[in-house]
Amino acid sequence: MAASPTSLTEKPLSRKTFDDLEGVFSEEEVLFRLIHFWEARNHTRGNSLIGLELLFIDEKSTTIQAFIPANRISRYEKSLKPNSVYKMKKFIISPCKKLFKVSAHKYGICFTNKTDLDEVTKGEHKIASQKFRIRSFNDFAAIVDRNGDLFDVIGQIRLITGDNLSAATSNAEEPKAANGKSKDKVFMHLLMKDGETVRIYLWDNIAAKFRTRWNASETKPTILLLTTVNAKFLGGMHTPYQTLSEQDPTFGSSSSAITKIETLTLNELHEFIKNKTPQEISFQCVATIVNVLGEYHWNYVSCTYCNTMLEKLDTTMTCTTCKKPNKVGVLRYRFEISVSDENNGLATFVIFDREGIHFAGRRAPEVFASEYPEGDDPDECELISKKTPQCILDIVGRTCKFQVKLTPYNFRATRQTFTVSRIIEDNIDIHYKSNQKEMATEEPEHATHIASGKAKNKVDDLDLEEHTKNKTYKRLRHNY
């Protein structure tokens, strides 16, 4: 039956928590709070309605994702109220979703024609009203373009722009679209706790709700929490979209989770390693690239599910992190550069895939394919894959503002290298910068949009043909 208010004065039935669920159908009752719900639509088939997705949380603060098929929405929709407590029984227990997941639970719940859902209006319930899955930049990078887990993100607003941000939009007004694309959007840069800056896109009703709250705020917030974001890779940057959940973004004026990134010289960076306790922290450094260390090669073959280097077994390649076999790996950048600053400090920086694309202007498979044309002797493949391509050698002499990330490993390593997590500025005039001290410590307002003209244009135009990638990976596997 449809949801109806009920009292707790009735003799309670035996209730289960979400962790107690087992089998394929539950006759027993569960008590939970509805965190929020949203429409699931098929955008490839005329934006047709598939059903309602819901997120529940029980008294043990365990969340589970639920689903109401489109043909049953009318039966329950009017009774669904976020933050309300319900009891429910007679529902299907299904394996968790593989795509667009908002809960880590191994099971999901599906409503049937027999499902009983009743709102509980009396009594005290020690059920949390929310549970966040806040993740770091690296967590988002590992799941980019997979449409799998939809994690939450918190950060400091560094840039914000969008349609009608100076005027409120009624939530009752349906956003207009042209050629299947919404004109209603909000775009921002968000600085995360680990020092990484990501681009955030809000669309349609979510953008309208955000804009209404933003315009209504007398004091504009500086900290933003967004839930269920979908990570994408656009133009050389990881870009979370908030497209599925219609839960309002949470505003805040300050947060201890956001810290200013300090600018150090290379010598100060080495001193920090020597004198401080092991920790995870990011710094910024202005340095000139003086050499590309070709002896450490320029690429590696990574897992298709994460960025870990694959290990070769007898008949396949495997990932030591996610433990999944890989028939074909992904070629990614990994090369080392020697840098120097104006104080004659020296250091070795490690460049990985995202920053490698920034410098080379092309993805690693495309560079490999151009260095090893189809039809050449496969026996030469391994030698060519180790030879540093000219597009990487050409970066010598460029002065950049790097952001480097230190981990506990840096404090115990015998050979000291620093991983570059972001290139803030490229091809800058180091002498001009040194004459303006305030600019040396200024935090970037934009996320790596000052790439060199040629490199940026190439990155924006990245579109590798699938057959080219497959042939390249096949040759790599042959020699891996």
Side-chain angles (χ1 to χ4, degrees), residues 300-303 308-321 324-329 382 473-480:
Y300 72 101
V301 180
S302 78
C303 174
T308 305
M309 180 182 292
L310 293 177
E311 289 190 1
K312 186 177 181 181
L313 301 180
D314 292 337
T315 59
T316 186
M317 295 181 287
T318 188
C319 176
T320 57
T321 299
K324 295 180 179 179
N326 286 249
K327 293 183 179 179
V328 178
E382 184 174 0
Y473 296 153
K474 185 177 180 180
R475 296 195 298 271
L476 282 170
R477 184 186 174 193
H478 175 80
N479 294 277
Y480 183 69

Side-chain angles (χ1 to χ4, degrees), residues 123-412:
E124 295 184 1
H125 315 292
K126 295 181 179 179
I127 302 178
S129 60
Q130 187 59 270
K131 184 177 182 179
F132 299 112
R133 299 200 300 163
I134 298 174
R135 296 294 188 269
S136 68
F137 177 86
N138 287 336
D139 293 323
F140 281 106
I143 61 170
V144 69
D145 287 334
R146 293 180 189 168
N147 297 326
D149 282 290
L150 304 180
F151 292 134
D152 308 325
V153 60
I154 186 172
Q156 182 183 35
I157 299 174
R158 307 294 294 150
L159 170 73
I160 182 168
T161 184
D163 301 321
N164 302 318
L165 275 179
S166 59
T169 298
S170 171
N171 287 336
E173 181 181 349
E174 188 70 20
K176 297 180 180 179
N179 299 324
K181 295 183 178 180
S182 173
K183 290 183 178 180
D184 201 350
K185 66 180 179 181
V186 174
F187 168 73
M188 68 187 77
H189 287 164
L190 211 63
L191 177 65
M192 302 174 69
K193 178 181 178 181
D194 53 12
E196 299 288 353
T197 299
V198 293
R199 301 185 299 189
I200 301 287
Y201 287 92
L202 307 182
W203 301 95
D204 300 329
N205 288 328
I206 302 172
K209 288 183 178 182
F210 175 87
R211 182 172 49 256
T212 299
R213 294 190 63 188
W214 177 269
N215 293 333
S217 302
E218 294 184 4
T219 303
K220 300 305 180 188
T222 58
I223 304 300
L224 191 66
L225 169 64
L226 298 107
T227 62
T228 59
V229 298
N230 193 11
K232 298 291 183 181
F233 192 86
L234 291 178
M237 293 185 63
H238 295 300
T239 305
Y241 287 83
Q242 193 185 31
T243 57
L244 297 179
S245 168
E246 296 200 9
Q247 184 183 19
D248 291 340
T250 302
F251 290 165
S253 57
S254 63
S255 173
S256 60
I258 307 299
T259 57
K260 182 178 179 180
I261 300 178
E262 186 179 356
T263 299
L264 300 182
T265 66
L266 296 180
N267 289 331
E268 289 172 337
L269 192 61
H270 287 293
E271 287 298 319
F272 185 91
I273 292 290
K274 292 179 182 178
N275 300 325
K276 299 295 182 178
T277 57
Q279 57 188 287
E280 188 171 300
I281 190 172
S282 293
F283 292 108
Q284 296 175 359
C285 302
V286 177
T288 300
I289 303 171
V290 296
N291 191 21
V292 177
L293 305 180
E295 61 267 33
Y296 299 104
H297 311 310
W298 66 278
N299 64 68
Y300 72 101
V301 180
S302 78
C303 174
T304 55
Y305 302 96
C306 65
N307 294 335
T308 305
M309 180 182 292
L310 293 177
E311 289 190 1
K312 186 177 181 181
L313 301 180
D314 292 337
T315 59
T316 186
M317 295 181 287
T318 188
C319 176
T320 57
T321 299
C322 61
K323 309 299 182 184
K324 295 180 179 179
N326 286 249
K327 293 183 179 179
V328 178
V330 178
L331 191 70
R332 299 185 187 274
Y333 287 109
R334 192 239 178 245
F335 57 90
E336 299 185 13
I337 58 175
S338 179
V339 297
S340 174
D341 62 13
E342 58 182 352
N343 297 314
N344 296 322
L346 294 173
T348 299
F349 286 177
V350 181
I351 304 295
F352 281 97
D353 202 52
R354 183 174 62 131
E355 289 68 38
I357 294 173
H358 169 91
F359 278 134
R362 294 178 292 171
R363 296 184 187 274
E366 187 178 9
V367 173
F368 181 87
S370 65
E371 294 289 328
Y372 175 52
E374 185 178 357
D376 286 358
D377 185 358
D379 292 335
E380 298 178 4
C381 177
E382 184 174 0
L383 293 177
I384 295 176
S385 68
K386 294 180 179 180
K387 180 183 177 182
T388 305
Q390 191 61 41
C391 60
I392 295 178
L393 297 176
D394 288 341
I395 70 175
V396 173
R398 287 161 71 165
T399 300
C400 306
K401 189 172 187 179
F402 299 94
Q403 181 170 304
V404 295
K405 183 176 182 180
L406 306 185
T407 66
Y409 173 79
N410 290 102
F411 293 82
R412 62 176 186 270

